[in-house]
Amino acid sequence: MTRFRAACLSVAMLLGISAPASAQLSALDRQRAKAELFAKERAQTAVNRGAALMKGNTEPTSGTDITDERLEVVMTPSTGDFRVTATVSIAARSPISTSSFILSDVTVTSVQTPGGAGVSYAHSNGVLILSYGRTLSTGETFTFVVAAQGPLSCSGQSDYCVVQSRLSHLLGVYFYPISYDGPWADRFNIDLTVDVPDALLVNAPGNRAGVTTANGRARHRFVSFEPTPFVTLSIGQMVTKEATAHVATKDVPVRIATMTGYESTHDKFLNHTVAAIELFSNLFLDYPYGKLDVAMTNSAFSGGMAPQATFYIGEVLFQSGDAGWTELILEVFSHETAHQWFGNHVAPATNDSNWLSEGFAEYLAVLHSNARTATWAHLHAAQEDYRGVVGPSTDGPIDGPGPGDYFRVVYEKGAAVLHMLRRYVGETAFFTGVRNYLAQQSGERVPIKTFEDVMETTAGFDLTPFFNVWLRETGYPKFVLASKMISTAGGLVARITVSEPSGRAFPMRVPLEVFHEGGAAKVDVFVDKASQSFDLPVPSPVLAVRLDEAHEALRLVQPGVPADVNASGRVDGGDLLDLAARYGEQRGGAAFDEMSDVDGNGDVDEFDVNAIKANWGLSSGQ
């Protein structure tokens, strides 16, 4: 912004004329939309009790290898009933102490288990839990067969049905050990056959392995080889549209399926998903599967879920809304698409490692948003949501048993940490490291340490301090930025000091820019101590200092001299000019900067003008 423009705004401000609100979609728009979505989700609490179990598809599975899991769903055209037969054979790679198999919202007709102590099962309220309580030795196999049946639930929709499970209207069959011992190296071969009337559409995980039709029925087969054995289906009369994503090694068919009445949304969401596949393939590895099916589920399910080569989106997310709502929903589609790489192609070893799935998926949604809008608005929204909502009682480490506010810590802070890692190691090392991680760990379940090791090898320097602080500690820095001029034999030097009052170090690499009468000097600095000073030669006194002006790091910055908005080392007219450029902005707004919010009330307003007046002439030497 030119000095003339800033001066004009300053005059307008002092006359009580507010600057117009920014036209750019901001964190505030997303926060309002997110609040609306959360409200709708809370309204579905009764039917969404299993949401945590949906995220639980990353429960520990170490020490086992499911060599053959077969699931067959048969629906009879006359009654709409389905029958499920699931056969699971587990061969232990290393000793394992406890395992479970859960089948939800069905009537269990028979269970066949191996003999021996420690085998038990319980069935109540439509949920079967089968446990194998004794130690399974390396190489020992454990096979059981469960047969179940149940009605196809339509939830009031005459043309759309999905098989119900504990997780809102999806059939879920999954296996996981409750405790584990040994390497995180599990793979699951899943062969799924679904026999339905040929008028019904089937959405299922895995690659399509053919469909045969006869006598008005269709028999669909899906096969997958993956580290996360979570099988979900949606079955119903649905309206579809298809497109093709073009990646380097193949063409990927993409299909969207919704209930009738939502056809007008197809192009928007289909084109968006295709663009996400192509972007993520270009940045990382080619899309790992042979297709992607996107299926609407009914209104009881208000979120998204992404098993292999498929993802499900609740009906509520297809509903129209304002710009903030629309952008939020597009980001959900990006997030679920990203799970095909992070969460499916490579899976976290345990829930403690779920950042490898959810944090990465959220960051890829940030990257897609940036590619579409040429802004970091999605990143800023995640930062602001975490800073503004999470407190000591709800914070927690990303790599740990789970914070109180799981979404804002693991998803939003998790995405912000990845962006800071990208800045810390540099563009080339970051994207090369992530590509190496995906290629080396294909089909595996890994702890966070595996990712750390790959990134450190690629970057070529020790990343332990970065990961320990950002993944295993809580909070974020609240920097104090100060400057002063020093005369040396070689000329003027601007000494810029960045300090964290708590005494904690938060490693990051951020741009530092110093403005002077002759122009500006900009350097990247590693801020990895609780207090650091940086000396920059300048030809004339400093007019302003900016630390991470684009807000790409998770931090707050306040001036070292009260009301020194531009951190020049003195409170003067330059601070009024800087404040004028942001006058009327609110926290979360596209142009908001906390340095201009002198009194910290979340608004750049007349109270901040008064604070500058009250501190007029104050300098760093006083």
Side-chain angles (χ1 to χ4, degrees):
M1 176 176 287
T2 66
R3 288 278 174 176
F4 176 75
R5 170 66 172 155
C8 290
L9 282 175
S10 182
V11 171
M13 174 193 69
L14 293 173
L15 291 175
I17 303 172
S18 297
S22 171
Q24 180 179 321
L25 197 63
S26 70
L28 285 175
D29 299 305
R30 285 173 172 77
Q31 285 176 315
R32 295 186 187 105
K34 197 172 293 179
E36 182 180 351
L37 177 59
F38 286 170
K40 291 179 178 180
E41 288 180 336
R42 282 193 295 271
Q44 298 295 339
T45 299
V47 293
N48 263 350
R49 292 190 303 273
L53 284 179
M54 175 188 74
K55 303 303 180 187
N57 63 358
T58 54
E59 286 293 329
T61 58
S62 176
T64 67
D65 185 5
I66 291 191
T67 55
D68 185 32
E69 177 173 314
R70 294 183 180 274
L71 170 67
E72 183 167 342
V73 178
V74 180
M75 295 174 55
T76 59
S78 58
T79 64
D81 285 355
F82 68 86
R83 295 191 304 276
V84 179
T85 301
T87 301
V88 181
S89 180
I90 306 126
R93 292 183 178 179
S94 59
I96 183 168
S97 57
T98 307
S99 57
S100 292
F101 176 87
I102 300 177
L103 193 63
S104 301
D105 290 333
V106 296
T107 299
V108 177
T109 56
S110 67
V111 178
Q112 300 173 32
T113 67
V119 178
S120 63
Y121 72 92
H123 176 249
S124 63
N125 299 322
V127 178
L128 168 73
I129 301 178
L130 184 145
S131 297
Y132 189 65
R134 70 178 180 84
T135 299
L136 191 66
S137 302
T138 302
E140 185 178 352
T141 60
F142 168 51
T143 302
F144 60 87
V145 179
V146 177
Q149 64 185 28
L152 186 68
S153 173
C154 294
S155 298
Q157 295 288 342
S158 59
D159 61 347
Y160 174 73
C161 303
V162 289
V163 181
Q164 280 194 311
S165 80
R166 170 182 301 218
L167 179 62
S168 55
H169 304 82
L170 296 172
L171 171 68
V173 178
Y174 41 102
F175 168 85
Y176 62 90
I178 295 173
S179 62
Y180 56 94
D181 180 21
W184 292 272
D186 308 291
R187 304 205 179 192
F188 303 86
N189 293 305
I190 299 175
D191 192 316
L192 170 67
T193 302
V194 185
D195 187 306
V196 295
D198 59 15
L200 298 181
L201 184 76
V202 176
N203 297 285
N207 293 319
R208 295 190 185 96
V211 57
T212 57
T213 58
N215 302 319
R217 297 186 67 80
R219 189 173 181 85
H220 303 260
R221 184 166 173 248
F222 303 86
V223 295
S224 57
F225 175 72
E226 60 176 320
T228 304
F230 189 70
V231 178
T232 55
L233 309 174
S234 73
I235 305 169
Q237 291 183 327
M238 307 174 81
V239 183
T240 67
K241 189 166 185 177
E242 297 187 10
T244 302
H246 304 287
V247 302
T249 59
K250 59 191 172 186
D251 287 343
V252 181
V254 183
R255 182 181 72 188
I256 190 167
T258 68
M259 291 183 280
T260 57
Y262 289 92
E263 292 86 345
S264 62
T265 68
H266 285 187
D267 284 340
K268 174 175 64 177
F269 293 129
L270 190 60
N271 293 339
H272 180 86
T273 304
V274 165
I277 290 173
E278 293 175 347
L279 175 66
F280 302 156
S281 296
N282 184 56
L283 290 175
F284 303 107
L285 295 181
D286 273 1
Y287 181 76
Y289 306 114
K291 57 89 171 170
L292 180 61
D293 290 340
V294 182
M296 174 189 285
T297 64
N298 67 18
S299 57
F301 178 45
S302 57
M305 180 175 61
Q308 190 184 86
T310 306
F311 68 83
Y312 303 100
I313 296 287
E315 180 186 358
V316 66
L317 273 70
F318 284 82
Q319 297 171 4
S320 60
D322 61 16
W325 172 264
T326 300
E327 183 63 25
L328 176 65
I329 303 313
L330 289 175
E331 291 164 2
V332 172
F333 273 75
S334 301
H335 178 105
E336 300 305 333
T337 303
H339 274 309
Q340 302 308 321
W341 287 263
F342 299 96
N344 290 340
H345 183 65
V346 180
T350 71
N351 272 344
D352 289 1
S353 307
N354 215 22
W355 174 66
L356 295 174
S357 177
E358 300 299 352
F360 276 72
E362 190 68 12
Y363 185 55
L364 265 66
V366 166
L367 296 179
H368 194 195
S369 174
N370 175 254
R372 292 184 297 105
T373 67
T375 73
W376 291 114
H378 184 179
L379 175 67
H380 296 160
Q383 293 169 341
E384 181 59 32
D385 202 33
Y386 167 76
R387 284 194 307 250
V389 177
V390 175
S393 64
T394 55
D395 205 351
I398 289 173
D399 181 6
D405 197 324
Y406 193 85
F407 173 78
R408 290 183 173 92
V409 174
V410 176
Y411 288 59
E412 294 186 319
K413 181 182 180 182
V417 168
L418 281 166
H419 193 67
M420 289 189 292
L421 176 64
R422 174 182 171 182
R423 293 279 299 149
Y424 199 70
V425 301
E427 294 286 299
T428 300
F430 177 79
F431 286 104
T432 300
V434 177
R435 283 192 288 269
N436 290 343
Y437 163 75
L438 288 170
Q440 294 169 14
Q441 304 302 323
S442 171
E444 299 293 344
R445 298 173 71 90
V446 299
I448 288 177
K449 187 62 168 61
T450 298
F451 174 74
E452 293 179 43
D453 291 344
V454 172
M455 293 304 298
E456 190 167 284
T457 299
T458 307
F461 62 96
D462 185 13
L463 295 177
T464 303
F466 180 93
F467 285 122
N468 280 348
V469 168
W470 288 109
L471 298 183
R472 297 175 185 97
E473 296 181 12
T474 61
Y476 60 94
K478 301 172 179 66
F479 290 131
V480 173
L481 180 64
S483 68
K484 66 179 180 179
M485 299 304 301
I486 299 175
S487 295
T488 70
L492 284 176
V493 170
R495 175 160 293 172
I496 314 302
T497 300
V498 181
S499 58
E500 218 294 330
S502 71
R504 293 177 62 193
F506 289 87
M508 62 176 64
R509 181 184 182 183
V510 288
L512 177 65
E513 196 165 9
V514 176
F515 296 85
H516 49 76
E517 290 294 349
K522 186 175 182 178
V523 296
D524 271 5
V525 296
F526 284 90
V527 181
D528 51 16
K529 297 181 177 65
S531 182
Q532 284 177 267
S533 293
F534 306 94
D535 288 353
L536 279 72
V538 291
S540 57
V542 168
L543 297 175
V545 179
R546 298 281 184 267
L547 182 72
D548 183 35
E549 186 173 22
H551 292 260
E552 293 192 45
L554 179 61
R555 86 297 180 278
L556 289 177
V557 181
Q558 291 295 325
V561 176
D564 183 16
V565 170
N566 60 16
S568 66
R570 59 193 173 277
V571 182
D572 55 20
D575 300 302
L576 276 179
L577 291 173
D578 274 36
L579 190 145
R582 305 181 191 278
Y583 194 78
E585 285 290 336
Q586 294 178 299
R587 182 176 289 115
F592 179 81
D593 186 273
E594 64 270 13
M595 291 280 281
S596 298
D597 182 21
V598 181
D599 65 354
N601 70 352
D603 297 303
V604 182
D605 53 23
E606 67 273 15
F607 298 109
D608 302 310
V609 176
N610 293 335
I612 290 176
K613 292 178 181 177
N615 290 280
W616 194 269
L618 192 64
S619 69
S620 56
Q622 294 177 274

